[in-house]
Amino acid sequence: MKKLMLGLGLLGLASCGGGTGDLTVTTYGEDYIEKQIPATAFADGWSVKFSKFLVTIGEVKVASHDGKVAAESTGAKVFDVHQPGPVTVESFPGLPAADWDTVSYAIAPSASARAGNASAEDVELMKTSGWSVFVQGVATKGTETKRFEWGFPTNTLYEKCEHPNLGEGVTVPNGGEEMLQFTIHGDHLFFDDLQSPDAKMRFNALAAADQAGIVGADGQITLEELELVDLTQLPPDQYSTGGASKVRNLRDFVTALVRTLGHYRGEGECAPRVR
């Protein structure tokens, strides 16, 4: 049965007496996703190299706090941010030249998603599995190697995006073009705290889940094995939930970290809303 593939539609407001400019939205996985997370970045000496990092991005919205919308997308696209980037998510030509202080986007499953830079096979994988994020990679420490392939159905809206130096939202220049980026932080998958700004990257507990897993140590860490690790079994100074509810095991913990992947213009932040 054929399914209707919804394109990324654009809605633009007419300029109210002012000029217009163009806006290009990109996404990027940075060196940690494109190349590797080195052992020096981990508190316990592991390194991680991704071979695939799929995200489904949609619901891009550029607006003002009083509800005026400059541009909005419908539909969603699947991107492999392991591939060299940045890569264009959407181009919005002819927007009203102004300060638009409200930018948001979603990383959410979409049954009608189409390809950004992902292959047709990867798009189909995300759609049929109901995933918004899929990661595949290898972790290494000395002679020890652990593989992982994790898919997540998380639905997160990233709102009120701002950059510490550039401020809230984005400014569309009169007669020019502005670029903004939805940056994906792959290192967040390995943080040992859900709230603390001093969280460290660790992999020991994830690796140990394979040792005590469903089929024993086969070198493959599954989400089902992570689910068997109760957080109370881990060192008391690691894997703090910060009071987050329903986070009881290592699978819950990593799933909660997935919701922190989305950033803005590098180190900028958005407010993630669980849906």
Tab-separated table of all heavy atoms in Angstrom, residues 92-132:
chain	number	residue	atom	x	y	z
A	92	PHE	N	14.450	28.830	4.109
A	92	PHE	CA	13.284	29.704	4.143
A	92	PHE	C	13.628	31.024	3.443
A	92	PHE	O	14.226	31.905	4.058
A	92	PHE	CB	12.862	29.994	5.584
A	92	PHE	CG	12.417	28.784	6.367
A	92	PHE	CD1	13.233	28.236	7.342
A	92	PHE	CD2	11.181	28.204	6.143
A	92	PHE	CE1	12.825	27.137	8.081
A	92	PHE	CE2	10.758	27.101	6.865
A	92	PHE	CZ	11.577	26.566	7.845
A	93	PRO	N	13.277	31.182	2.187
A	93	PRO	CA	13.587	32.440	1.500
A	93	PRO	C	12.522	33.503	1.754
A	93	PRO	O	11.355	33.199	2.026
A	93	PRO	CB	13.588	32.019	0.030
A	93	PRO	CG	12.590	30.898	-0.033
A	93	PRO	CD	12.702	30.171	1.290
A	94	GLY	N	12.933	34.761	1.658
A	94	GLY	CA	11.992	35.872	1.679
A	94	GLY	C	11.221	36.062	2.967
A	94	GLY	O	10.041	36.416	2.948
A	95	LEU	N	11.871	35.866	4.106
A	95	LEU	CA	11.204	36.084	5.390
A	95	LEU	C	11.268	37.563	5.766
A	95	LEU	O	12.183	38.276	5.360
A	95	LEU	CB	11.861	35.252	6.491
A	95	LEU	CG	11.893	33.733	6.313
A	95	LEU	CD1	12.473	33.087	7.566
A	95	LEU	CD2	10.514	33.198	6.004
A	96	PRO	N	10.326	38.031	6.565
A	96	PRO	CA	10.407	39.415	7.047
A	96	PRO	C	11.703	39.653	7.814
A	96	PRO	O	12.053	38.880	8.710
A	96	PRO	CB	9.189	39.538	7.962
A	96	PRO	CG	8.244	38.491	7.493
A	96	PRO	CD	9.100	37.356	7.037
A	97	ALA	N	12.425	40.693	7.442
A	97	ALA	CA	13.675	41.020	8.132
A	97	ALA	C	13.347	41.587	9.504
A	97	ALA	O	12.782	42.685	9.621
A	97	ALA	CB	14.466	42.027	7.309
A	98	ALA	N	13.688	40.812	10.546
A	98	ALA	CA	13.328	41.205	11.914
A	98	ALA	C	14.011	40.276	12.897
A	98	ALA	O	14.617	39.271	12.517
A	98	ALA	CB	11.807	41.156	12.099
A	99	ASP	N	13.901	40.628	14.173
A	99	ASP	CA	14.333	39.731	15.247
A	99	ASP	C	13.183	38.779	15.556
A	99	ASP	O	12.093	39.227	15.945
A	99	ASP	CB	14.695	40.527	16.506
A	99	ASP	CG	15.923	41.393	16.319
A	99	ASP	OD1	16.816	40.995	15.553
A	99	ASP	OD2	15.977	42.475	16.939
A	100	TRP	N	13.435	37.498	15.387
A	100	TRP	CA	12.450	36.473	15.716
A	100	TRP	C	12.984	35.714	16.928
A	100	TRP	O	13.947	34.973	16.830
A	100	TRP	CB	12.225	35.549	14.519
A	100	TRP	CG	11.694	36.292	13.332
A	100	TRP	CD1	12.407	36.777	12.276
A	100	TRP	CD2	10.344	36.676	13.112
A	100	TRP	NE1	11.579	37.436	11.395
A	100	TRP	CE2	10.291	37.382	11.891
A	100	TRP	CE3	9.151	36.487	13.816
A	100	TRP	CZ2	9.121	37.907	11.361
A	100	TRP	CZ3	7.974	37.003	13.290
A	100	TRP	CH2	7.967	37.700	12.086
A	101	ASP	N	12.361	35.949	18.083
A	101	ASP	CA	12.961	35.494	19.342
A	101	ASP	C	12.495	34.110	19.794
A	101	ASP	O	12.868	33.650	20.873
A	101	ASP	CB	12.708	36.513	20.452
A	101	ASP	CG	11.223	36.781	20.698
A	101	ASP	OD1	10.379	36.087	20.107
A	101	ASP	OD2	10.917	37.710	21.479
A	102	THR	N	11.711	33.437	18.970
A	102	THR	CA	11.212	32.114	19.348
A	102	THR	C	11.504	31.118	18.236
A	102	THR	O	10.900	31.178	17.161
A	102	THR	CB	9.698	32.158	19.626
A	102	THR	OG1	9.424	33.135	20.635
A	102	THR	CG2	9.202	30.803	20.102
A	103	VAL	N	12.446	30.225	18.494
A	103	VAL	CA	12.785	29.159	17.549
A	103	VAL	C	12.591	27.820	18.244
A	103	VAL	O	12.988	27.642	19.404
A	103	VAL	CB	14.244	29.285	17.060
A	103	VAL	CG1	14.647	28.059	16.241
A	103	VAL	CG2	14.416	30.549	16.217
A	104	SER	N	11.967	26.884	17.542
A	104	SER	CA	11.752	25.552	18.110
A	104	SER	C	11.828	24.502	17.006
A	104	SER	O	11.687	24.802	15.817
A	104	SER	CB	10.398	25.476	18.817
A	104	SER	OG	9.339	25.762	17.915
A	105	TYR	N	12.052	23.258	17.419
A	105	TYR	CA	12.058	22.127	16.493
A	105	TYR	C	11.812	20.858	17.291
A	105	TYR	O	11.888	20.852	18.528
A	105	TYR	CB	13.367	22.035	15.719
A	105	TYR	CG	14.607	21.696	16.522
A	105	TYR	CD1	15.138	20.409	16.538
A	105	TYR	CD2	15.275	22.672	17.255
A	105	TYR	CE1	16.289	20.103	17.260
A	105	TYR	CE2	16.425	22.389	17.975
A	105	TYR	CZ	16.926	21.101	17.972
A	105	TYR	OH	18.058	20.812	18.684
A	106	ALA	N	11.505	19.782	16.577
A	106	ALA	CA	11.213	18.510	17.239
A	106	ALA	C	12.136	17.416	16.732
A	106	ALA	O	12.536	17.396	15.568
A	106	ALA	CB	9.764	18.107	17.002
A	107	ILE	N	12.498	16.528	17.642
A	107	ILE	CA	13.077	15.236	17.278
A	107	ILE	C	12.052	14.206	17.731
A	107	ILE	O	11.891	13.950	18.930
A	107	ILE	CB	14.445	15.014	17.938
A	107	ILE	CG1	15.459	16.057	17.443
A	107	ILE	CG2	14.962	13.605	17.647
A	107	ILE	CD1	16.840	15.927	18.057
A	108	ALA	N	11.323	13.670	16.775
A	108	ALA	CA	10.166	12.839	17.090
A	108	ALA	C	9.942	11.812	15.987
A	108	ALA	O	10.314	12.047	14.826
A	108	ALA	CB	8.921	13.720	17.244
A	109	PRO	N	9.329	10.674	16.311
A	109	PRO	CA	9.026	9.693	15.266
A	109	PRO	C	8.055	10.282	14.244
A	109	PRO	O	7.207	11.114	14.584
A	109	PRO	CB	8.369	8.546	16.047
A	109	PRO	CG	8.760	8.753	17.473
A	109	PRO	CD	8.908	10.228	17.638
A	110	SER	N	8.170	9.841	13.014
A	110	SER	CA	7.253	10.294	11.967
A	110	SER	C	7.055	9.181	10.954
A	110	SER	O	8.009	8.736	10.317
A	110	SER	CB	7.791	11.539	11.264
A	110	SER	OG	6.986	11.881	10.149
A	111	ALA	N	5.816	8.748	10.800
A	111	ALA	CA	5.504	7.689	9.843
A	111	ALA	C	5.582	8.185	8.406
A	111	ALA	O	5.586	7.382	7.466
A	111	ALA	CB	4.115	7.125	10.124
A	112	SER	N	5.643	9.508	8.213
A	112	SER	CA	5.690	10.074	6.863
A	112	SER	C	7.014	10.778	6.589
A	112	SER	O	7.121	11.547	5.633
A	112	SER	CB	4.530	11.049	6.660
A	112	SER	OG	4.589	12.103	7.611
A	113	ALA	N	8.019	10.521	7.417
A	113	ALA	CA	9.315	11.188	7.238
A	113	ALA	C	9.928	10.826	5.890
A	113	ALA	O	9.706	9.744	5.350
A	113	ALA	CB	10.261	10.794	8.356
A	114	ARG	N	10.704	11.766	5.351
A	114	ARG	CA	11.446	11.498	4.130
A	114	ARG	C	12.924	11.743	4.387
A	114	ARG	O	13.315	12.164	5.477
A	114	ARG	CB	10.924	12.337	2.963
A	114	ARG	CG	10.933	13.829	3.163
A	114	ARG	CD	10.062	14.510	2.106
A	114	ARG	NE	10.066	15.964	2.220
A	114	ARG	CZ	10.818	16.766	1.478
A	114	ARG	NH1	11.661	16.240	0.583
A	114	ARG	NH2	10.757	18.074	1.617
A	115	ALA	N	13.733	11.489	3.401
A	115	ALA	CA	15.176	11.550	3.591
A	115	ALA	C	15.674	12.980	3.646
A	115	ALA	O	15.297	13.816	2.831
A	115	ALA	CB	15.883	10.797	2.474
A	116	GLY	N	16.546	13.234	4.654
A	116	GLY	CA	17.360	14.426	4.642
A	116	GLY	C	18.622	14.052	3.888
A	116	GLY	O	18.692	14.140	2.682
A	117	ASN	N	19.607	13.537	4.632
A	117	ASN	CA	20.786	12.945	3.979
A	117	ASN	C	20.884	11.456	4.260
A	117	ASN	O	21.878	10.824	3.919
A	117	ASN	CB	22.068	13.654	4.422
A	117	ASN	CG	22.411	13.377	5.881
A	117	ASN	OD1	21.539	13.012	6.671
A	117	ASN	ND2	23.663	13.562	6.250
A	118	ALA	N	19.862	10.884	4.907
A	118	ALA	CA	19.868	9.454	5.233
A	118	ALA	C	19.481	8.630	4.008
A	118	ALA	O	18.788	9.114	3.103
A	118	ALA	CB	18.915	9.175	6.387
A	119	SER	N	19.907	7.374	3.992
A	119	SER	CA	19.556	6.481	2.895
A	119	SER	C	18.083	6.097	2.977
A	119	SER	O	17.440	6.217	4.029
A	119	SER	CB	20.413	5.214	2.951
A	119	SER	OG	20.059	4.434	4.094
A	120	ALA	N	17.552	5.606	1.854
A	120	ALA	CA	16.158	5.163	1.830
A	120	ALA	C	15.932	4.034	2.830
A	120	ALA	O	14.878	3.961	3.478
A	120	ALA	CB	15.783	4.711	0.418
A	121	GLU	N	16.930	3.154	2.969
A	121	GLU	CA	16.812	2.044	3.921
A	121	GLU	C	16.752	2.553	5.358
A	121	GLU	O	15.971	2.036	6.180
A	121	GLU	CB	17.992	1.085	3.758
A	121	GLU	CG	18.027	0.316	2.450
A	121	GLU	CD	18.535	1.145	1.270
A	121	GLU	OE1	19.065	2.257	1.488
A	121	GLU	OE2	18.388	0.683	0.124
A	122	ASP	N	17.547	3.573	5.668
A	122	ASP	CA	17.545	4.113	7.022
A	122	ASP	C	16.252	4.871	7.316
A	122	ASP	O	15.744	4.836	8.444
A	122	ASP	CB	18.751	5.025	7.231
A	122	ASP	CG	20.048	4.249	7.400
A	122	ASP	OD1	19.965	3.053	7.732
A	122	ASP	OD2	21.127	4.836	7.198
A	123	VAL	N	15.725	5.560	6.324
A	123	VAL	CA	14.438	6.241	6.510
A	123	VAL	C	13.352	5.218	6.807
A	123	VAL	O	12.532	5.397	7.725
A	123	VAL	CB	14.073	7.072	5.265
A	123	VAL	CG1	12.660	7.641	5.397
A	123	VAL	CG2	15.070	8.206	5.066
A	124	GLU	N	13.336	4.139	6.056
A	124	GLU	CA	12.335	3.091	6.267
A	124	GLU	C	12.503	2.453	7.647
A	124	GLU	O	11.509	2.143	8.322
A	124	GLU	CB	12.443	2.034	5.173
A	124	GLU	CG	11.300	1.026	5.156
A	124	GLU	CD	9.940	1.666	4.884
A	124	GLU	OE1	9.881	2.760	4.295
A	124	GLU	OE2	8.920	1.048	5.274
A	125	LEU	N	13.735	2.250	8.071
A	125	LEU	CA	14.003	1.705	9.408
A	125	LEU	C	13.387	2.590	10.479
A	125	LEU	O	12.721	2.087	11.407
A	125	LEU	CB	15.510	1.585	9.629
A	125	LEU	CG	15.964	1.214	11.040
A	125	LEU	CD1	15.569	-0.214	11.382
A	125	LEU	CD2	17.478	1.411	11.200
A	126	MET	N	13.596	3.890	10.384
A	126	MET	CA	13.083	4.808	11.394
A	126	MET	C	11.555	4.839	11.391
A	126	MET	O	10.915	4.868	12.451
A	126	MET	CB	13.644	6.198	11.146
A	126	MET	CG	15.157	6.296	11.269
A	126	MET	SD	15.773	6.008	12.939
A	126	MET	CE	15.543	7.652	13.644
A	127	LYS	N	10.970	4.808	10.221
A	127	LYS	CA	9.511	4.877	10.112
A	127	LYS	C	8.845	3.615	10.638
A	127	LYS	O	7.898	3.679	11.434
A	127	LYS	CB	9.118	5.138	8.660
A	127	LYS	CG	9.450	6.534	8.169
A	127	LYS	CD	9.432	6.653	6.657
A	127	LYS	CE	8.130	6.258	6.042
A	127	LYS	NZ	8.123	6.471	4.570
A	128	THR	N	9.325	2.461	10.195
A	128	THR	CA	8.672	1.210	10.584
A	128	THR	C	8.920	0.862	12.047
A	128	THR	O	8.079	0.209	12.686
A	128	THR	CB	9.142	0.053	9.692
A	128	THR	OG1	10.572	-0.060	9.774
A	128	THR	CG2	8.747	0.292	8.241
A	129	SER	N	10.057	1.308	12.590
A	129	SER	CA	10.374	1.022	13.993
A	129	SER	C	9.758	2.033	14.942
A	129	SER	O	9.705	1.788	16.158
A	129	SER	CB	11.898	1.004	14.189
A	129	SER	OG	12.515	0.047	13.368
A	130	GLY	N	9.302	3.163	14.414
A	130	GLY	CA	8.740	4.205	15.265
A	130	GLY	C	9.791	4.920	16.085
A	130	GLY	O	9.506	5.400	17.186
A	131	TRP	N	10.996	5.023	15.547
A	131	TRP	CA	12.095	5.658	16.271
A	131	TRP	C	12.293	7.113	15.845
A	131	TRP	O	12.053	7.476	14.689
A	131	TRP	CB	13.402	4.911	16.028
A	131	TRP	CG	13.444	3.531	16.608
A	131	TRP	CD1	12.729	3.053	17.671
A	131	TRP	CD2	14.258	2.438	16.152
A	131	TRP	NE1	13.040	1.733	17.913
A	131	TRP	CE2	13.983	1.325	16.993
A	131	TRP	CE3	15.185	2.288	15.122
A	131	TRP	CZ2	14.596	0.092	16.826
A	131	TRP	CZ3	15.810	1.055	14.945
A	131	TRP	CH2	15.515	-0.029	15.796
A	132	SER	N	12.768	7.900	16.756
A	132	SER	CA	13.200	9.264	16.449
A	132	SER	C	14.711	9.359	16.416
A	132	SER	O	15.273	10.230	15.754
A	132	SER	CB	12.668	10.236	17.508
A	132	SER	OG	13.123	9.873	18.802
